[in-house]
Short mmCIF file of all heavy atoms in Angstrom, two decimals:
data_model
loop_
_atom_site.label_atom_id
_atom_site.label_comp_id
_atom_site.label_asym_id
_atom_site.label_seq_id
_atom_site.Cartn_x
_atom_site.Cartn_y
_atom_site.Cartn_z
N ASN A 75 125.28 -32.30 76.54
CA ASN A 75 124.21 -32.48 77.52
C ASN A 75 124.05 -31.27 78.44
O ASN A 75 122.94 -30.91 78.83
CB ASN A 75 124.49 -33.73 78.36
CG ASN A 75 124.40 -35.00 77.55
OD1 ASN A 75 123.65 -35.07 76.56
ND2 ASN A 75 125.14 -36.02 77.94
N ARG A 76 125.16 -30.61 78.78
CA ARG A 76 125.08 -29.46 79.69
C ARG A 76 124.47 -28.23 79.03
O ARG A 76 123.97 -27.33 79.72
CB ARG A 76 126.49 -29.12 80.22
CG ARG A 76 127.11 -30.16 81.11
CD ARG A 76 126.29 -30.44 82.35
NE ARG A 76 126.93 -31.39 83.24
CZ ARG A 76 126.81 -32.69 83.16
NH1 ARG A 76 126.05 -33.21 82.20
NH2 ARG A 76 127.41 -33.49 84.02
N THR A 77 124.50 -28.16 77.72
CA THR A 77 123.95 -26.99 77.04
C THR A 77 122.43 -27.01 76.95
O THR A 77 121.84 -26.04 76.50
CB THR A 77 124.53 -26.87 75.62
OG1 THR A 77 124.36 -28.12 74.93
CG2 THR A 77 126.00 -26.52 75.66
N HIS A 78 121.81 -28.12 77.35
CA HIS A 78 120.35 -28.18 77.31
C HIS A 78 119.72 -27.10 78.19
O HIS A 78 118.71 -26.49 77.82
CB HIS A 78 119.87 -29.56 77.74
CG HIS A 78 120.09 -30.61 76.70
ND1 HIS A 78 119.69 -30.48 75.39
CD2 HIS A 78 120.67 -31.83 76.78
CE1 HIS A 78 120.02 -31.56 74.70
NE2 HIS A 78 120.62 -32.40 75.53
N SER A 79 120.30 -26.87 79.36
CA SER A 79 119.76 -25.84 80.25
C SER A 79 119.87 -24.45 79.63
O SER A 79 118.96 -23.63 79.75
CB SER A 79 120.49 -25.87 81.59
OG SER A 79 121.89 -25.67 81.40
N LEU A 80 120.97 -24.19 78.93
CA LEU A 80 121.14 -22.90 78.26
C LEU A 80 120.12 -22.74 77.13
O LEU A 80 119.59 -21.64 76.91
CB LEU A 80 122.56 -22.77 77.72
CG LEU A 80 122.91 -21.45 77.03
CD1 LEU A 80 122.74 -20.28 77.99
CD2 LEU A 80 124.35 -21.50 76.51
N LYS A 81 119.81 -23.82 76.44
CA LYS A 81 118.81 -23.76 75.38
C LYS A 81 117.44 -23.38 75.95
O LYS A 81 116.72 -22.57 75.36
CB LYS A 81 118.72 -25.12 74.68
CG LYS A 81 119.99 -25.51 73.94
CD LYS A 81 119.89 -26.93 73.41
CE LYS A 81 121.20 -27.36 72.76
NZ LYS A 81 121.15 -28.77 72.28
N PHE A 82 117.09 -23.94 77.08
CA PHE A 82 115.80 -23.63 77.69
C PHE A 82 115.76 -22.20 78.21
O PHE A 82 114.70 -21.57 78.21
CB PHE A 82 115.49 -24.62 78.81
CG PHE A 82 114.90 -25.91 78.34
CD1 PHE A 82 115.69 -27.02 78.11
CD2 PHE A 82 113.53 -26.02 78.10
CE1 PHE A 82 115.15 -28.21 77.66
CE2 PHE A 82 112.97 -27.20 77.65
CZ PHE A 82 113.78 -28.30 77.43
N CYS A 83 116.90 -21.68 78.65
CA CYS A 83 116.94 -20.28 79.08
C CYS A 83 116.67 -19.34 77.91
O CYS A 83 115.89 -18.38 78.03
CB CYS A 83 118.30 -19.97 79.71
SG CYS A 83 118.58 -20.73 81.31
N VAL A 84 117.31 -19.61 76.77
CA VAL A 84 117.07 -18.80 75.57
C VAL A 84 115.63 -18.91 75.13
O VAL A 84 114.98 -17.92 74.77
CB VAL A 84 118.03 -19.22 74.45
CG1 VAL A 84 117.71 -18.47 73.16
CG2 VAL A 84 119.48 -18.97 74.85
N CYS A 85 115.10 -20.14 75.17
CA CYS A 85 113.71 -20.34 74.76
C CYS A 85 112.75 -19.66 75.71
O CYS A 85 111.70 -19.16 75.30
CB CYS A 85 113.42 -21.84 74.68
SG CYS A 85 111.77 -22.21 74.05
N PHE A 86 113.08 -19.62 77.02
CA PHE A 86 112.21 -18.94 77.99
C PHE A 86 112.12 -17.46 77.68
O PHE A 86 111.04 -16.85 77.77
CB PHE A 86 112.76 -19.16 79.40
CG PHE A 86 111.99 -18.42 80.47
CD1 PHE A 86 110.76 -18.89 80.91
CD2 PHE A 86 112.50 -17.25 81.01
CE1 PHE A 86 110.06 -18.21 81.88
CE2 PHE A 86 111.80 -16.56 81.98
CZ PHE A 86 110.58 -17.04 82.42
N ILE A 87 113.23 -16.85 77.29
CA ILE A 87 113.23 -15.43 76.93
C ILE A 87 112.35 -15.19 75.70
O ILE A 87 111.55 -14.26 75.65
CB ILE A 87 114.66 -14.94 76.69
CG1 ILE A 87 115.47 -15.03 77.98
CG2 ILE A 87 114.67 -13.50 76.17
CD1 ILE A 87 116.94 -14.72 77.81
N LEU A 88 112.51 -16.07 74.70
CA LEU A 88 111.68 -15.94 73.50
C LEU A 88 110.21 -16.18 73.82
O LEU A 88 109.32 -15.52 73.26
CB LEU A 88 112.15 -16.94 72.43
CG LEU A 88 113.57 -16.73 71.89
CD1 LEU A 88 113.93 -17.84 70.92
CD2 LEU A 88 113.69 -15.38 71.20
N GLY A 89 109.95 -17.13 74.71
CA GLY A 89 108.57 -17.43 75.08
C GLY A 89 107.90 -16.28 75.82
O GLY A 89 106.71 -16.01 75.64
N GLN A 90 108.67 -15.58 76.67
CA GLN A 90 108.12 -14.42 77.37
C GLN A 90 107.74 -13.32 76.39
O GLN A 90 106.69 -12.68 76.53
CB GLN A 90 109.15 -13.90 78.38
CG GLN A 90 109.36 -14.81 79.58
CD GLN A 90 108.14 -14.86 80.47
OE1 GLN A 90 107.37 -15.82 80.43
NE2 GLN A 90 107.95 -13.84 81.28
N ASP A 91 108.57 -13.10 75.40
CA ASP A 91 108.27 -12.08 74.40
C ASP A 91 107.04 -12.46 73.59
O ASP A 91 106.18 -11.62 73.29
CB ASP A 91 109.49 -11.90 73.48
CG ASP A 91 109.27 -10.80 72.45
OD1 ASP A 91 109.15 -9.62 72.84
OD2 ASP A 91 109.21 -11.12 71.24
N TYR A 92 106.95 -13.76 73.24
CA TYR A 92 105.78 -14.22 72.48
C TYR A 92 104.52 -14.09 73.32
O TYR A 92 103.45 -13.71 72.81
CB TYR A 92 105.99 -15.67 72.06
CG TYR A 92 104.77 -16.30 71.41
CD1 TYR A 92 104.48 -16.06 70.06
CD2 TYR A 92 103.92 -17.12 72.13
CE1 TYR A 92 103.38 -16.63 69.46
CE2 TYR A 92 102.81 -17.68 71.54
CZ TYR A 92 102.54 -17.44 70.21
OH TYR A 92 101.44 -18.00 69.62
N ARG A 93 104.63 -14.37 74.61
CA ARG A 93 103.45 -14.30 75.49
C ARG A 93 102.95 -12.86 75.60
O ARG A 93 101.73 -12.60 75.63
CB ARG A 93 103.82 -14.84 76.87
CG ARG A 93 102.62 -15.02 77.79
CD ARG A 93 101.69 -16.11 77.27
NE ARG A 93 100.46 -16.17 78.03
CZ ARG A 93 99.48 -17.01 77.76
NH1 ARG A 93 99.57 -17.84 76.75
NH2 ARG A 93 98.38 -17.00 78.48
N LYS A 94 103.87 -11.90 75.68
CA LYS A 94 103.47 -10.50 75.76
C LYS A 94 102.75 -10.06 74.49
O LYS A 94 101.72 -9.39 74.53
CB LYS A 94 104.70 -9.62 76.00
CG LYS A 94 105.31 -9.78 77.38
CD LYS A 94 106.53 -8.89 77.53
CE LYS A 94 107.18 -9.06 78.90
NZ LYS A 94 108.40 -8.22 79.04
N LYS A 95 103.29 -10.46 73.34
CA LYS A 95 102.65 -10.11 72.07
C LYS A 95 101.29 -10.79 71.94
O LYS A 95 100.35 -10.22 71.40
CB LYS A 95 103.55 -10.50 70.91
CG LYS A 95 104.84 -9.69 70.83
CD LYS A 95 105.68 -10.11 69.65
CE LYS A 95 106.96 -9.27 69.57
NZ LYS A 95 107.83 -9.68 68.44
N LEU A 96 101.21 -12.03 72.45
CA LEU A 96 99.94 -12.76 72.38
C LEU A 96 98.88 -12.08 73.24
O LEU A 96 97.74 -11.90 72.81
CB LEU A 96 100.15 -14.20 72.84
CG LEU A 96 98.91 -15.11 72.83
CD1 LEU A 96 98.40 -15.29 71.42
CD2 LEU A 96 99.27 -16.46 73.45
N ASP A 97 99.25 -11.69 74.46
CA ASP A 97 98.30 -11.01 75.34
C ASP A 97 97.88 -9.66 74.75
O ASP A 97 96.70 -9.27 74.84
CB ASP A 97 98.92 -10.79 76.72
CG ASP A 97 99.17 -12.11 77.45
OD1 ASP A 97 98.51 -13.11 77.11
OD2 ASP A 97 100.03 -12.13 78.36
N HIS A 98 98.81 -8.98 74.12
CA HIS A 98 98.48 -7.69 73.50
C HIS A 98 97.51 -7.88 72.34
O HIS A 98 96.55 -7.11 72.17
CB HIS A 98 99.76 -7.02 73.02
CG HIS A 98 99.54 -5.70 72.34
ND1 HIS A 98 99.05 -4.58 73.00
CD2 HIS A 98 99.71 -5.31 71.03
CE1 HIS A 98 98.95 -3.57 72.15
NE2 HIS A 98 99.34 -3.99 70.97
N GLN A 99 97.73 -8.94 71.54
CA GLN A 99 96.83 -9.20 70.42
C GLN A 99 95.46 -9.61 70.91
O GLN A 99 94.44 -9.25 70.31
CB GLN A 99 97.43 -10.30 69.53
CG GLN A 99 96.66 -10.56 68.25
CD GLN A 99 96.66 -9.36 67.33
OE1 GLN A 99 97.68 -8.68 67.22
NE2 GLN A 99 95.55 -9.11 66.67
N VAL A 100 95.41 -10.37 72.00
CA VAL A 100 94.11 -10.76 72.56
C VAL A 100 93.34 -9.53 73.04
O VAL A 100 92.11 -9.41 72.83
CB VAL A 100 94.31 -11.78 73.70
CG1 VAL A 100 93.01 -11.99 74.45
CG2 VAL A 100 94.82 -13.09 73.16
N GLU A 101 94.02 -8.60 73.68
CA GLU A 101 93.37 -7.37 74.13
C GLU A 101 92.84 -6.56 72.95
O GLU A 101 91.73 -6.00 73.02
CB GLU A 101 94.36 -6.54 74.94
CG GLU A 101 94.74 -7.15 76.28
CD GLU A 101 95.77 -6.32 76.99
OE1 GLU A 101 96.20 -5.28 76.42
OE2 GLU A 101 96.18 -6.69 78.11
N ILE A 102 93.61 -6.52 71.86
CA ILE A 102 93.15 -5.80 70.67
C ILE A 102 91.90 -6.46 70.09
O ILE A 102 90.92 -5.79 69.73
CB ILE A 102 94.27 -5.72 69.62
CG1 ILE A 102 95.41 -4.84 70.14
CG2 ILE A 102 93.74 -5.19 68.30
CD1 ILE A 102 96.59 -4.80 69.20
N ASN A 103 91.93 -7.79 70.00
CA ASN A 103 90.77 -8.51 69.44
C ASN A 103 89.53 -8.33 70.30
O ASN A 103 88.43 -8.14 69.80
CB ASN A 103 91.11 -10.00 69.30
CG ASN A 103 92.16 -10.25 68.24
OD1 ASN A 103 92.39 -9.42 67.37
ND2 ASN A 103 92.81 -11.39 68.32
#
């Protein structure tokens, strides 16, 4: 149960990277 917070931290890092790539692709389009 305590590792759920760590999972969301890892996912937040991945989500930030995905968001940057998404914004970059939108600018290109």
Side-chain angles (χ1 to χ4, degrees):
N75 293 332
R76 294 300 183 273
T77 52
H78 286 309
S79 58
L80 182 60
K81 296 173 184 177
F82 277 96
C83 289
V84 175
C85 185
F86 176 77
I87 296 173
L88 296 176
Q90 289 293 101
D91 183 66
Y92 174 80
R93 189 66 188 179
K94 291 179 181 179
K95 293 181 179 178
L96 180 64
D97 294 338
H98 179 66
Q99 186 64 39
V100 170
E101 292 177 359
I102 293 176
N103 292 340

